[in-house]
Amino acid sequence: VVQGSAAKRFLIRAVGPSLAQFNVPNLLADPAVSLVSAGTVIAANNNWGSEGDILSIYGATLGVTFQLGAGEKDAALVASLAPGNYTAVVTAADGGKGVALVEAYDLEVDSPATRLINLSTRAQSGSGANMLTAGLVIGGQGTLRLLVRAVGPGLAQFGVSGVLAQPTMRVYSGQTVIQSNTGWTSGGLTEDLAAAARLTGAFPLAAGSADCASVITLAPGSYTIQVSGVGGGTGEALVEVYVVP
């Protein structure tokens, strides 16, 4: 979700083969990415090298977490996005299956009039190597107050089948857990979390549901959110990050 007063450029990447440098197993060999707005594909890429030097330039100057391998079949695109809601869909160009990483980078960090206010990813989640993992990098000088959620049962209202029945969520700074939740009403902060959802425009969670939520204030830096199934459970889960005004 992009909020603001003007269009802004973002770099979207779908990484499969280049994850090999981090010893990630079972990689998606040939990812493709499509950017969708209101049901219409507005940009797409299969094989990042086809976009020419523009992606190499942005990758070198932006401070992305890692570079894509030359000639690898990872996907990437640059798009100028007006304020609104967008979805980046990652698929397998060759019909295969595997682990992939989808990323969104702000290419104009010095232009605060427009910014990302919500990031979310839906995927299969389980335990161990099958956990749903999200990375978050906060820039700037001050702290940022965020609503972080891991939704399993709450997806059923949208017709999603095979949901993760009982997710648990952990927020890491490096190797240290700085926030965790299992059951969003379990911590005695139900009203605060419901108020944060209303302020950010997040859909409400059912009272007493097994979905997870936390409000956390973070300083600039890199963070990881991990969603797994309690007792080894597996299923569809949604990890969300909202900026709380």
Side-chain angles (χ1 to χ4, degrees), residues 32-167:
V33 62
S34 299
L35 191 62
V36 179
S37 175
T40 300
V41 176
I42 60 172
N45 176 257
N46 176 29
N47 300 338
W48 75 282
S50 65
E51 292 290 306
D53 292 338
I54 185 170
L55 293 176
S56 297
I57 292 170
Y58 280 126
T61 61
L62 183 66
V64 295
T65 51
F66 61 93
Q67 299 295 320
L68 301 180
E72 292 287 10
K73 292 185 176 182
D74 306 293
L77 59 88
V78 172
S80 181
L81 303 180
N85 301 339
Y86 301 89
T87 302
V89 181
V90 179
T91 56
D94 61 357
K97 297 180 179 180
V99 176
L101 176 70
V102 59
E103 303 176 300
Y105 292 92
D106 185 342
L107 291 178
E108 300 173 37
V109 294
D110 294 327
S111 177
T114 302
R115 62 175 183 168
L116 286 171
I117 62 165
N118 168 230
L119 287 169
S120 59
T121 302
R122 194 190 106 191
Q124 275 281 321
S125 182
S127 58
N130 296 317
M131 285 189 295
L132 174 55
T133 302
L136 175 68
V137 179
I138 299 173
Q141 302 298 320
T143 59
L144 199 61
R145 189 166 180 251
L146 302 175
L147 170 64
V148 184
R149 307 200 306 184
V151 183
L155 293 177
Q157 63 185 301
F158 302 109
V160 178
S161 59
V163 300
L164 185 62
Q166 189 174 14

Side-chain angles (χ1 to χ4, degrees), residues 10-39:
F10 293 90
L11 168 64
I12 312 295
R13 305 200 308 184
V15 187
S18 288
L19 292 177
Q21 62 188 294
F22 305 108
N23 300 315
V24 178
N26 304 318
L27 298 176
L28 189 63
D30 191 3
V33 62
S34 299
L35 191 62
V36 179
S37 175

Side-chain angles (χ1 to χ4, degrees), residues 210-239:
D211 303 297
C212 306
S214 292
V215 171
I216 185 170
T217 300
L218 299 177
S222 301
Y223 302 90
T224 303
I225 305 162
Q226 290 188 342
V227 179
S228 58
V230 173
T234 61
E236 290 284 327
L238 178 74
V239 59

